[in-house]
């Protein structure tokens, strides 16, 4: 089983960290068979599983349910649970209690979004033994503040603020930081500045690792495909083809045949 210290060791050894999301036991097992180092139970499930337009309505109960499924199946990968909107913003106490609940259902770490405003949460969680992954750049829970899913940190003051946020998260004890939708050179500078690993998504090739949403990577989700997504398969097309063939064969009496029937 991958541990948080082992995960961090990858950066020191110059080895890339590969992370993908998963939301259920079936895919958690497949992801592990591929030798992926860490599984993020992302609140992206609000969009790709629940069909919402953003992640804001995902609840603690939703996240605990999916984390339990993934953690119950995973045997090798580090399981990181995403803290949903309003589960850590209200107070440090509430944030620590909610983070702890993820460890109780089997996650080894939690992830939360933001810089300076969450530094005290990260510090408190770390102090109580809860490993925390930070998340900077285009943080989806702030989509309304950005006015859409837009690249962040293009202007110099914003880029400098992101570097300061990254340093503050590291000092507070974060064990790694996701960098989402920021210019590649900024991700490079942050990666060089920090001793903890950076995990990029739309942040160029210089991060210590990469993360993608599983359904994007597999070509299952096509309602919104950001520039940074590379589909490594086309499972939606495959699924459609299979379902159409099944329908056609039943209609034409070609399925089931003797070989699918009991005698
Ligand atoms: O919710 C999620 O899946 C994420 C990743 C895209 C980093 O936060």
């Amino acid at each position: 089983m991958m541990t948080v210290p082992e995960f961090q060791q990858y950066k020191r050894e110059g080895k890339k960290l590969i992370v993908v999301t998963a939301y259920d036991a079936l895919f958690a097992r497949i992801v592990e068979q591929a030798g992926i180092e860490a599984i993020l139970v992302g609140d992206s499930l609000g969009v790709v599983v629940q069909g919402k337009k953003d992640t804001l309505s995902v609840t603690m109960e939703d996240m605990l349910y999916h984390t339990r499924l993934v953690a119950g199946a995973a045997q090798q990968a580090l399981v990181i649970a995403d803290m949903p909107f309003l589960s850590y913003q209200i107070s440090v106490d509430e944030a620590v209690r909610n983070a702890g609940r993820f460890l109780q259902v089997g996650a080894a770490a939690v992830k939360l979004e933001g810089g300076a405003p969450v530094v005290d949460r990260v510090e408190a969680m770390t102090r109580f033994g809860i490993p925390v992954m930070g998340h900077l750049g285009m943080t989806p829970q702030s989509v309304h503040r950005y006015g859409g899913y837009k690249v962040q940190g293009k202007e110099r003051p914003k880029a400098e603020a992101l570097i300061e946020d990254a340093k503050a998260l590291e000092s507070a004890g974060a064990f790694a930081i996701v960098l989402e939708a920021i210019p590649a050179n900024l991700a490079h500078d942050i990666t060089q500045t920090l001793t903890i690993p950076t995990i990029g998504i739309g942040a160029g090739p210089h991060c210590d690792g990469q993360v993608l949403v599983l359904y994007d990577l597999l070509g299952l989700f096509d309602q919104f495909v950001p520039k940074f997504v590379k589909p490594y398969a086309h499972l939606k097309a495959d699924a459609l083809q299979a379902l159409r063939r099944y329908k056609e064969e039943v209609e034409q009496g070609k399925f089931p045949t003797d070989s699918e029937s009991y005698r």
Side-chain angles (χ1 to χ4, degrees):
M1 176 70 91
M2 169 74 70
T3 64
V4 168
E6 282 164 4
F7 189 86
Q8 293 188 293
Q9 182 66 20
Y10 269 54
K11 175 161 182 156
R12 291 190 282 274
E13 292 175 2
K15 290 197 292 190
K16 287 277 184 189
L17 285 154
I18 323 302
V19 184
V20 294
T21 68
Y23 317 102
D24 60 33
L26 177 80
F27 273 122
R29 289 200 187 99
I30 295 174
V31 167
E32 280 205 327
Q33 278 178 35
I36 304 285
E37 277 86 25
I39 299 176
L40 171 67
V41 187
D43 66 350
S44 50
L45 68 85
V47 178
V48 297
V49 175
Q50 297 176 336
K52 304 280 168 51
K53 67 179 189 331
D54 56 44
T55 58
L56 297 174
S57 60
V58 176
T59 65
M60 271 299 293
E61 300 319 312
D62 295 335
M63 291 306 303
L64 287 168
Y65 172 74
H66 288 278
T67 302
R68 205 179 278 117
L69 300 184
V70 169
Q75 295 187 343
Q76 300 303 326
L78 184 73
V79 176
I80 305 160
D82 218 357
M83 297 197 68
F85 184 55
L86 292 188
S87 69
Y88 58 93
Q89 285 88 346
I90 310 301
S91 69
V92 174
D93 288 358
E94 221 174 287
V96 172
R97 186 177 303 111
N98 282 327
R101 292 178 74 195
F102 284 112
L103 267 55
Q104 288 178 324
V105 298
V110 298
K111 175 173 85 58
L112 50 76
E113 297 182 6
V118 300
V119 161
D120 55 356
R121 275 79 170 149
V122 174
E123 201 272 325
M125 289 172 193
T126 307
R127 189 153 29 93
F128 292 118
I130 303 169
V132 188
M133 175 179 259
H135 186 164
L136 292 173
M138 205 296 295
T139 45
Q141 291 174 16
S142 300
V143 60
H144 292 305
R145 182 155 58 82
Y146 304 140
Y149 296 104
K150 296 180 179 161
V151 178
Q152 300 296 306
K154 279 182 164 176
E155 308 81 13
R156 201 180 169 87
K158 286 202 177 154
E160 280 166 6
L162 280 173
I163 296 175
E164 289 312 308
D165 279 344
K167 286 197 230 165
L169 288 174
E170 174 170 84
S171 302
F175 75 92
I177 302 180
V178 169
L179 299 176
E180 179 161 357
I182 62 170
N185 61 343
L186 174 58
H188 170 269
D189 292 351
I190 295 175
T191 302
Q192 293 304 307
T193 303
L194 302 184
T195 59
I196 57 172
T198 58
I199 309 296
I201 173 161
H206 309 297
C207 295
D208 299 304
Q210 292 292 320
V211 57
L212 276 178
V213 169
L214 181 67
Y215 295 4
D216 289 339
L217 182 164
L218 296 179
L220 264 173
F221 185 79
D222 63 0
Q223 283 162 41
F224 171 66
V225 184
K227 174 183 160 76
F228 58 73
V229 168
K230 177 169 175 183
Y232 285 85
H234 301 282
L235 295 197
K236 180 179 170 187
D238 290 350
L240 268 175
Q241 196 186 20
L243 290 164
R244 286 184 181 132
R245 256 190 77 202
Y246 163 64
K247 181 173 187 290
E248 207 175 273
E249 290 199 357
V250 174
E251 284 168 352
Q252 296 172 356
K254 291 183 181 163
F255 174 86
T257 62
D258 266 2
S259 52
E260 290 94 19
S261 304
Y262 298 106
R263 289 181 184 275

